Amino acid sequence: MPSRAILRRRELLSALGASAFLGVPVFRQTLAEAQGSMPKRAIFFQFPGGVPSMCFQIGTCGVDGHPDLAFFDFPGQLKAFEPLKADTILVRNLKFAAAERSTVEGHEAGMRNLLTGGGNTSVDQAIAKQVGNLTKFSSLQFAGLPWEGTPPQDRIAYADGFALQQERDPVVMFEKLFGGFAAPAASGSMPDPAAEERKAREKSVLDFLKTEITTLQTMTSSGEKPILDVHLDSLRELEKQLTQSATAAGTACAAPVQTGITKGQFVAEGVSDPRLAAKLQLDLLYQAINCDLSRVATFQWATSVETTALYNWVPGFNAAPDMHHGYQHEHESPEQEAAFQQIQTWYADQMAGFVARLKATSEGGGSILDNSVVMITSEFSNGTHVHSPLPMFLVGRAGGAFQKMGQTVDAKWVAHNDLLLSLANAMGVPLTTIGEASLVSGPLAL
């Protein structure tokens, strides 16, 4: 018959909710951080239309008719990443087998399989299932440009076969992330009463939990007491952070400033200059990560058939009839190729600026980038519906999970499912397969 102490312990766990006690985000997060590890983040960028190349049709250039992706390198499209080269892995010869085996149209095949590998759940959502309950948002889906699209040509994130809608309005995303958010008060200024009330309420909850856990501690075995001690130490640290003026997240956690814009402004314009919307969305993504609102995000620059943005600052850009989708298919002259190269490089430049902010944000003994992996890829190798080799560029060390930083890795034509599996494993998700199982040979050594 169980002892009275065990029964009392069970009663208390029942009252607290055992699953809540062991599963509440604050406990697992603070426990990990108390043990010296920093939270990991996974961010997935998609840019439309593949890599500029004079290879217009299958069989006209490259190895075995594949585009050579020569422009997808540091002297070319990735030149803005050169200062961060030591934090990158450039993957070559990665086969996009899931898209090539698909029976649907090329654009749709590329988008639908980019993060799923032919399965029903994308890698971002597989990771979110593991770490998403540690943050306010299990995952976030951003649209880089305010485009309109038709599923599945405009979706890359999937949960159990359900396509997740990305947010293309920066004002709506701001309200979602920072509605009611109060940044730390400036030195010498009066504190925000609402923020102070929230901190007091959160602190009182922690005090209550500490009391209950201390009671529980008297009922535990000697082997379990060290675990509870770590919980208590973590709570004390969290309590201290709550009472400080600075936030517990990144060094400059704050709601981005949005002035002079209105809800629906970019979406209503349809055809527009994409630069302001892109900047606002990237600012929001950075602060969402920096404030630890989420640790998993997708950032889809555009639908695979991008026809809404005007790149008028690019010399030689011609909106009629080229647009972006037109350049994917018809950059046959040196002038068209030069314009397309500048458009695709602009996408890379924006992503490099975002990554540089992660690198500049201190965390633990390094930076947020050190504890993150940023994947940059496209749904095509070349815009003429050629899927392989898939352009693949990784930035960040994923908390030390990767060993080949600063290198170019030859994937030797394995399916990109192996790379998705490596990313999931690096984030602590112990998958052995992802997507279409027949395409998986094992994690790609990174």
Side-chain angles (χ1 to χ4, degrees):
M1 180 175 179
S3 68
R4 180 58 186 162
I6 293 176
L7 290 173
R8 287 180 60 207
R9 180 184 174 202
R10 288 178 180 172
E11 290 168 2
L12 182 54
L13 284 173
S14 178
L16 284 173
S19 62
F21 168 62
L22 295 174
V24 165
V26 64
F27 287 104
R28 274 178 282 163
Q29 177 182 346
T30 53
L31 177 61
E33 293 175 357
Q35 293 174 330
S37 63
M38 290 290 106
K40 293 183 179 182
R41 293 89 169 182
I43 303 163
F44 301 87
F45 279 99
Q46 168 268 349
F47 64 90
V51 177
S53 171
M54 294 298 284
C55 178
F56 316 121
Q57 302 296 333
I58 296 177
T60 60
C61 64
V63 179
D64 297 326
H66 292 292
D68 55 21
L69 300 188
F71 189 64
F72 195 66
D73 210 332
F74 295 100
Q77 190 172 347
L78 303 177
K79 63 183 179 181
F81 285 95
E82 280 195 296
L84 300 161
K85 190 172 182 179
D87 296 297
T88 71
I89 300 175
L90 181 59
V91 183
R92 294 296 198 197
N93 301 324
L94 194 63
K95 188 173 181 63
F96 196 0
E100 291 177 343
R101 292 173 58 159
S102 176
T103 58
V104 299
E105 184 269 342
H107 291 279
E108 179 180 329
M111 298 298 282
R112 179 63 177 80
N113 294 288
L114 188 61
L115 298 185
T116 65
N120 288 326
T121 297
S122 51
V123 64
D124 59 298
Q125 293 307 298
I127 296 170
K129 286 181 180 179
Q130 182 83 10
V131 305
N133 57 353
L134 301 177
T135 52
K136 181 177 180 180
F137 301 99
S138 61
S139 66
L140 294 169
Q141 291 76 43
F142 286 82
L145 307 184
W147 40 264
E148 294 186 21
T150 303
Q153 285 187 355
D154 70 338
R155 307 287 174 85
I156 58 174
Y158 289 83
D160 300 321
F162 179 75
L164 302 183
Q165 175 69 55
Q166 63 280 52
E167 181 52 60
R168 55 197 178 104
D169 190 329
V171 178
V172 174
M173 183 61 85
F174 179 92
E175 292 174 349
K176 174 179 178 178
L177 294 174
F178 298 103
F181 178 87
S187 177
S189 65
M190 294 296 292
D192 177 16
E196 293 300 306
E197 181 183 351
R198 282 196 300 273
K199 285 197 294 184
R201 185 166 58 248
E202 290 163 349
K203 183 176 183 295
S204 67
V205 171
L206 294 180
D207 284 337
F208 170 77
L209 289 173
K210 280 174 57 180
T211 300
E212 298 297 339
I213 296 170
T214 302
T215 303
L216 179 62
Q217 194 174 36
T218 65
M219 306 176 190
T220 59
S221 67
S222 59
E224 292 175 313
K225 283 183 179 179
I227 299 175
L228 290 175
D229 287 341
V230 173
H231 280 325
L232 286 170
D233 290 341
S234 300
L235 286 173
R236 292 188 191 100
E237 179 63 25
L238 194 66
E239 187 175 76
K240 181 175 68 176
Q241 292 171 347
L242 283 169
T243 57
Q244 292 173 342
S245 60
T247 66
T251 56
C253 171
V257 176
Q258 287 192 348
T259 57
I261 61 173
T262 58
K263 185 182 297 185
Q265 169 183 337
F266 299 100
V267 177
E269 287 179 0
V271 178
S272 63
D273 183 332
R275 289 176 290 184
L276 177 56
K279 178 186 182 303
L280 293 170
Q281 292 286 65
L282 287 169
D283 285 347
L284 288 166
L285 174 59
Y286 167 76
Q287 288 296 5
I289 297 298
N290 187 39
C291 296
D292 205 27
L293 297 176
S294 184
R295 297 177 184 176
V296 182
T298 57
F299 194 99
Q300 186 180 331
W301 276 104
T303 179
S304 185
V305 184
E306 201 288 280
T307 59
T308 62
L310 295 174
Y311 306 87
N312 287 333
W313 70 92
V314 172
F317 173 75
N318 182 3
D322 290 324
M323 299 300 289
H324 189 279
H325 187 224
Y327 278 109
Q328 291 176 216
H329 288 275
E330 299 169 0
H331 46 108
E332 297 170 340
S333 70
E335 293 78 17
Q336 288 177 314
E337 179 71 5
F340 189 48
Q341 285 185 355
Q342 289 188 63
I343 294 170
Q344 299 303 81
T345 300
W346 175 81
Y347 283 117
D349 291 351
Q350 309 317 300
M351 292 181 279
F354 167 80
V355 168
R357 294 182 72 181
L358 297 183
K359 179 72 173 178
T361 305
S362 299
E363 182 176 67
S367 69
I368 287 183
L369 182 62
D370 292 329
N371 301 312
S372 303
V373 56
V374 180
M375 187 183 94
I376 296 171
T377 188
S378 182
E379 74 280 5
F380 282 133
S381 172
N382 177 270
T384 56
H385 293 206
V386 181
H387 289 107
S388 298
L390 190 67
M392 185 61 64
F393 187 56
L394 305 177
V395 194
R397 299 171 183 270
F402 300 145
Q403 305 302 314
K404 297 185 178 181
M405 307 309 301
Q407 300 181 36
T408 297
V409 172
D410 184 356
K412 300 181 179 179
W413 298 102
V414 300
H416 93 297
N417 300 57
D418 288 0
L419 182 134
L420 298 181
L421 187 61
S422 298
L423 297 184
N425 292 171
M427 286 293 295
V429 182
L431 298 180
T432 57
T433 189
I434 189 168
E436 188 176 337
S438 65
L439 300 178
V440 179
S441 58
L444 187 66
L446 298 173

